[in-house]
């Protein structure tokens, strides 16, 4: 049984306009996404801004109420759990946010911040909580001397460590990490990535790791999903996806990354145009307006996921070049 | 770089300080460099290293107070920009030197159409009627790859996507034929596929307009792909300056080496742990005496802690400020 299973999850936001704020359209942020995460594994979710990756992460924790679909944690559906019941579930599911400057309260000390989940859930005695905070600070490589200091005294990387310690406070099985290193400088970024790798190994925590950076995703992930306009266009093990990307969008994304090796002039696949609006997404395949290999069927029929992997190594691609659509 | 040519821009011993409530912060501490006609130079470093302040000083845009150029000269074709009156500087800014910024929305005026803003710039710096300026503006928008420029020119900044806004900024910056373009993180706010398009565009335009470009960025990948030379900054000083091949293939400063190693990049075979630079950037009020990188450096000696190294030319194109450069 997978730790987390997401089935055909959708999240639409109403677009209101006019005098009576009538709903004029739906913004399809997440438009039918399914995947599984096994215990202790990391799924990397990659895509450009507006592809719905953050909305998906939040919808799984029900920080956004999903519009339809199902979410199963340890085999149990959490989609209909009332708000009051979500509190208990959040002991198992936590989140690390992108911006370490806005995700920590400036009025709370480090110890208060990290202790807050323990207070809210009424875990342990005062003394036990104190020791737990020290233990968490130690896990994220910060000394107990920082306990009574405030967030503004810390750099971005240190704040992100505090945010991670808070997410770990309740011993969760699953953490959604939404762009946790994007706001950090490179020299600090790798420190935090190594920390996350340690947590995964030592504590067996499963991650949904959301990032726009394919290189970061490769480093942390066991499996990788590529999103475009609210849909998963490709899904495979990290090894297979990076060695042999199949979807034209994945290929384009990989080709667009600037490589720190001068002179290596790659055959640059510059994708045309920009991501269309999710309010009025293109019919058929969402990528067909920018795709180099577009065919007539692409603008008409939405491609279904086809498994192109070796047996036992699923590699799903939603593209008409594969399966029945291809030859 | 062609050493026989006279440099377009000569920066000598530039010192910029900001006074704050807690004291004076020296953001730039005596940097010197040359920019030659038609070359692209990357100014790289992590946040707070002084790269943006360097770019702003060249245009005389340091907010004063609190900022102040304390010492040094910035000569554009022999004329010291720090010594001329504001009125004269205003003619040079947008004329001989232009700048594009990270977030085009903050640099464009939201209440005027794009055409209006472009025409203002053109009539200010070139002897054109508004009608002539209008057609030049359309021509420029076309050059930077904006579809239907005749339509777009009537629109307001909020009606454009991030990538399109950045193109408008570039069109505006280039409309008066600058000899030097300072581009401050021009693609950082953009998605990778859009970034690739915009970088490509800057490259094409540079050839066409025969201008020098200073590319201020934290992204070494972008530098490797677009620049002829790179200048690496750390805590307000230049630690290394080299031709692009030397900089990436034979980094001489331990900081440059560490930065290059710690970038997460697509790898054939993923590594277990990313190499890191230990510690963090010191803040400007608590700079170590001697070499500012000493506390994080693996090759530190007693001398590094007592004496500040100065930039020295090594063999080839590299200049480095380090007592124990990487061999």
């Amino acid at each position: 049984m997978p730790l987390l299973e997401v089935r055909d999850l959708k999240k639409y936001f109403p677009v209101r306009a006019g005098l009576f704020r009538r709903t004029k359209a739906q913004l399809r942020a997440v438009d039918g996404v399914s995947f599984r995460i096994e215990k202790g594994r990391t799924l990397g979710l990659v895509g450009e801004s507006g592809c719905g990756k953050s909305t998906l992460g939040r919808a799984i924790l029900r920080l956004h109420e999903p519009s339809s679909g199902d979410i199963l944690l340890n085999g149990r559906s959490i989609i209909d759990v009332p708000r009051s019941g979500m509190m208990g579930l959040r002991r198992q599911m936590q989140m690390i946010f992108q911006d370490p400057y806005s995700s920590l309260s400036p009025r709370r000390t480090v110890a208060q911040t990290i202790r807050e989940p323990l207070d809210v859930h009424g875990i342990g005695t005062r003394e036990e909580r104190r020791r737990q905070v020290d233990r968490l600070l130690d896990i994220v490589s910060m000394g107990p001397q920082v306990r009574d200091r405030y967030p503004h005294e810390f750099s971005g990387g240190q704040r992100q460590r505090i945010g991670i310690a808070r997410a770990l406070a309740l011993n969760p099985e699953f953490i959604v990490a939404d762009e946790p290193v994007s706001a950090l400088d490179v020299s600090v970024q790798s420190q935090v990535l190594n920390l996350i790798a340690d947590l995964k190994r030592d504590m067996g925590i499963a991650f949904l790791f959301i990032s726009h950076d394919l290189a970061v995703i490769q480093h942390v992930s066991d499996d990788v999903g590529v999103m475009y306009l609210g849909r998963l266009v490709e899904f495979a093990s990290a090894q297979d996806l990076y060695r042999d990307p199949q979807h034209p969008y994945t290929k384009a994304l990989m080709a667009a990354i600037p490589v720190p090796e001068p002179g290596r002039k790659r055959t640059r696949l510059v994708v045309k145009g920009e991501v269309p609006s999710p309010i009025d997404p293109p019919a058929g395949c969402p990528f067909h307006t920018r795709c180099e290999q577009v065919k007539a069927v692409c603008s008409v029929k939405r491609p279904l996921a086809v498994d192109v992997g070796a047996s036992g190594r699923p590699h799903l691609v939603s593209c008409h070049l594969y399966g029945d659509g291809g030859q | 770089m062609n050493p026989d040519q006279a440099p377009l821009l000569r920066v000598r011993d530039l010192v910029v300080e900001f006074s704050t409530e807690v004291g004076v912060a020296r953001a730039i501490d005596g940097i010197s460099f040359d920019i030659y006609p038609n070359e692209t130079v990357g100014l790289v470093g992590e946040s707070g290293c002084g790269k943006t302040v360097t770019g702003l000083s060249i245009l005389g845009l340091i907010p004063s107070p609190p900022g102040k150029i304390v010492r040094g000269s910035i000569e554009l074709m022999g004329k010291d920009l720090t010594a001329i009156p504001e009125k004269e500087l205003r003619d040079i800014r947008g004329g001989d030197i232009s700048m594009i910024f990270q977030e085009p929305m903050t640099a464009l005026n939201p209440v005027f159409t794009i055409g209006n803003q472009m025409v203002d710039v053109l009539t200010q710096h070139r002897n054109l009627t508004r009608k002539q300026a209008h057609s030049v503006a359309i021509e420029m928008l076309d050059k930077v790859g904006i579809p239907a420029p005749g339509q777009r020119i009537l629109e307001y900044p909020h009606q454009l996507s991030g990538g399109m806004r950045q193109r408008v900024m570039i069109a505006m910056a280039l409309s008066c034929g600058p000899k030097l373009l300072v581009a401050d993180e021009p693609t950082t706010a953009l998605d990778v596929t859009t970034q690739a398009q915009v970088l490509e565009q800057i490259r094409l335009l540079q050839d066409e307009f025969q201008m020098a470009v200073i590319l201020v960025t934290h992204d070494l990948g972008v530098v490797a792909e677009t620049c002829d030379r790179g200048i690496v900054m750390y805590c307000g000083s230049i630690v290394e300056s080299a031709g692009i091949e030397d900089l990436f293939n034979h980094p001489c400063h331990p900081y440059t080496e560490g930065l290059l190693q710690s970038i997460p990049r697509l790898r054939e075979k993923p590594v277990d742990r990313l190499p890191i630079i230990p510690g963090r950037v010191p803040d400007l009020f608590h700079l170590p005496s001697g070499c500012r990188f000493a506390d994080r450096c693996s090759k530190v000696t007693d001398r590094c802690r007592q004496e500040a190294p100065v930039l020295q030319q090594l063999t080839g194109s590299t200049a480095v400020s380090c007592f124990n450069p990487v061999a």
Side-chain angles (χ1 to χ4, degrees):
Chain A
M1 182 172 60
L3 173 72
L4 181 86
E5 185 171 357
V6 172
R7 289 184 189 156
D8 199 25
L9 196 72
K10 292 183 181 168
K11 174 62 191 174
Y12 294 175
F13 292 99
V15 179
R16 296 178 200 280
L19 182 58
F20 299 105
R21 313 295 296 158
R22 286 214 186 90
T23 301
K24 294 280 183 197
Q26 299 283 342
L27 186 154
R28 303 173 177 208
V30 178
D31 199 10
V33 169
S34 308
F35 59 80
R36 296 164 165 211
I37 301 178
E38 303 291 335
K39 267 192 182 26
R41 305 267 292 177
T42 298
L43 170 63
L45 207 53
V46 69
E48 297 181 280
S49 44
C51 74
K53 56 192 191 301
S54 290
T55 306
L56 176 58
R58 286 165 177 264
I60 289 170
L61 298 185
R62 289 186 55 202
L63 297 173
H64 287 314
E65 258 342 305
S67 306
S68 71
D70 206 354
I71 304 162
L72 290 87
L73 185 69
N74 287 317
R76 203 180 124 218
S77 171
I78 62 165
I79 204 95
D80 293 322
V81 173
R83 284 243 153 236
S84 56
M86 278 311 290
M87 174 117 156
L89 284 170
R90 294 227 169 90
R91 285 178 66 163
Q92 295 159 50
M93 313 162 80
Q94 285 288 316
M95 181 143 186
I96 301 170
F97 298 90
Q98 169 170 6
D99 183 358
Y101 292 86
S102 62
S103 60
L104 301 177
S105 165
R107 293 162 196 266
R108 289 176 199 266
T109 64
V110 171
Q112 284 168 343
T113 298
I114 298 176
R115 209 184 57 212
E116 192 188 5
L118 300 170
D119 293 342
V120 169
H121 289 268
I123 290 168
T125 63
R126 232 185 131 70
E127 182 51 31
E128 281 166 351
R129 287 178 204 173
R130 222 191 83 86
R131 261 179 294 151
Q132 172 73 342
V133 168
D134 284 346
R135 196 178 69 87
L136 290 163
L137 281 172
D138 185 49
I139 290 173
V140 298
S141 306
M142 293 180 87
Q145 73 280 1
V146 304
R147 294 182 56 95
D148 297 320
R149 289 166 62 187
Y150 288 89
H152 74 264
E153 300 176 60
F154 296 96
S155 67
Q158 290 172 306
R159 288 182 204 214
Q160 203 55 299
R161 287 173 192 276
I162 297 167
I164 291 172
R166 177 177 59 185
L168 294 175
L170 297 167
N171 273 322
E173 292 177 274
F174 173 60
I175 292 180
V176 174
D178 187 3
E179 301 268 14
V181 297
S182 306
L184 308 178
D185 278 317
V186 271
S187 77
V188 180
Q189 203 177 51
S190 27
Q191 294 175 8
V192 174
L193 288 174
N194 284 341
L195 170 63
I196 290 177
D198 291 344
L199 297 176
K200 191 185 138 199
R201 192 189 55 226
D202 300 340
M203 308 175 76
I205 299 171
F207 282 91
L208 178 67
F209 193 102
I210 298 167
S211 176
H212 68 282
D213 187 330
L214 272 165
V216 167
I217 288 281
Q218 180 187 29
H219 182 64
V220 297
S221 307
D222 299 304
D223 300 306
V224 178
V226 181
M227 278 187 84
Y228 189 78
L229 272 182
R231 301 177 196 173
L232 271 180
V233 294
E234 185 161 0
F235 188 97
S237 72
Q239 209 186 348
D240 291 346
L241 188 109
Y242 284 89
R243 203 175 43 202
D244 197 13
Q246 299 290 328
H247 198 284
Y249 178 62
T250 315
K251 290 180 187 172
L253 260 189
M254 286 197 185
I257 306 175
V259 182
E261 290 167 30
R264 197 179 121 170
K265 289 290 167 228
R266 289 151 308 117
T267 44
R268 210 197 237 299
L269 240 137
V270 176
V271 212
K272 304 166 295 186
E274 298 180 356
V275 184
S277 162
I279 295 175
D280 187 17
C285 170
F287 189 58
H288 85 260
T289 53
R290 305 173 73 196
C291 186
E292 290 273 304
Q293 294 164 272
V294 63
K295 304 188 293 181
V297 62
C298 301
S299 56
V300 185
K301 205 171 129 201
R302 177 168 168 173
L304 298 172
V306 181
D307 191 347
V308 297
S311 69
R313 299 177 71 95
H315 189 147
L316 304 175
V317 196
S318 300
C319 175
H320 287 302
L321 294 172
Y322 302 92
D324 294 343
Q327 273 83 50
Chain B
M1 169 168 81
N2 179 358
D4 303 333
Q5 245 172 336
L8 177 69
L9 184 82
R10 279 167 66 100
V11 176
R12 285 295 173 274
D13 195 27
L14 184 69
V15 176
V16 180
E17 290 180 345
F18 287 84
S19 15
T20 71
E21 285 168 16
V22 277
V24 173
R26 186 166 276 202
I28 298 184
D29 193 10
I31 62 168
S32 303
F33 61 89
D34 292 337
I35 304 290
Y36 290 84
N38 304 341
E39 69 168 346
T40 306
V41 178
L43 205 54
V44 255
E46 299 180 281
S47 30
C49 71
K51 56 189 191 300
T52 294
V53 175
T54 305
L56 291 174
S57 348
I58 295 170
L59 278 97
L61 288 175
I62 298 290
S64 173
K68 190 164 182 259
I69 294 180
V70 178
R71 204 170 69 209
S73 63
I74 302 168
E75 286 178 18
L76 181 78
M77 298 178 287
K79 185 184 275 183
D80 187 354
L81 303 181
T82 61
I84 60 173
E86 172 66 24
K87 193 180 169 303
E88 209 176 322
L89 194 59
R90 214 179 305 165
D91 287 337
I92 291 175
R93 203 189 289 145
D96 284 337
I97 312 180
S98 270
M99 185 157 184
I100 52 180
F101 300 89
Q102 173 168 350
E103 185 28 80
M105 202 58 200
T106 56
L108 292 169
N109 192 328
V111 301
F112 291 104
T113 62
I114 285 152
N116 228 318
Q117 299 183 54
M118 291 190 71
V119 167
D120 279 351
V121 174
L122 282 161
T123 50
Q124 176 87 30
H125 290 284
R126 284 166 65 172
N127 201 8
L128 297 175
T129 63
R130 286 193 80 82
K131 199 166 173 194
Q132 288 167 326
H134 188 81
S135 51
V136 173
I138 292 181
E139 196 184 311
M140 284 308 301
L141 290 176
D142 188 44
K143 279 209 171 100
V144 297
I146 290 182
Q151 269 301 306
R152 290 297 194 179
I153 199 165
L154 304 174
E155 294 184 355
Y156 291 88
H158 76 266
Q159 293 171 284
L160 303 178
S161 68
M164 283 298 155
R165 274 182 218 138
Q166 198 53 284
R167 286 171 195 268
V168 170
M169 277 294 300
I170 295 169
M172 214 183 268
L174 300 191
S175 59
C176 297
K179 300 196 173 60
L180 175 66
L181 176 71
V182 179
D184 187 2
E185 304 270 9
T187 57
T188 305
L190 307 177
D191 283 316
V192 275
T193 55
T194 318
Q195 165 170 285
Q197 295 167 358
V198 171
L199 288 176
E200 186 75 36
Q201 196 73 56
I202 293 180
R203 231 182 338 233
L204 290 173
L205 292 165
Q206 179 176 23
D207 282 349
E208 186 178 338
F209 285 78
Q210 294 288 302
M211 59 180 178
V213 177
I214 298 179
L215 189 69
V216 177
T217 180
H218 70 283
D219 190 332
L220 285 160
V222 169
V223 172
E225 288 206 353
T226 53
C227 296
D228 304 311
R229 274 197 301 142
I231 296 175
V232 184
M233 292 186 70
Y234 187 77
C235 289
S237 308
I238 293 175
V239 295
E240 183 163 0
S241 157
I244 211 67
E245 303 275 340
D246 284 341
L247 188 72
F248 283 83
N249 299 334
H250 308 287
C252 287
H253 198 284
Y255 176 63
T256 314
E257 190 190 35
L259 263 189
L260 281 172
Q261 285 172 351
S262 54
I263 315 173
R265 57 176 93 187
L266 294 182
R267 293 165 201 265
E268 302 285 317
K269 227 179 139 52
V271 290
D272 210 28
R273 300 190 73 74
L274 290 170
I276 60 160
I277 302 177
R280 63 201 175 93
V281 182
D283 78 63
L284 292 176
F285 299 107
H286 302 95
L287 290 176
S289 56
C291 175
R292 281 150 190 200
F293 189 61
D295 289 341
R296 306 177 73 190
C297 185
S298 58
K299 308 184 77 182
V300 63
T301 60
D302 286 344
R303 187 180 177 199
C304 306
R305 299 198 190 277
Q306 284 148 16
E307 201 183 320
V310 291
L311 201 63
Q312 283 191 333
Q313 195 70 36
L314 300 182
T315 52
S317 65
T318 303
V320 67
S321 81
C322 178
F323 296 123
N324 314 297
V326 181

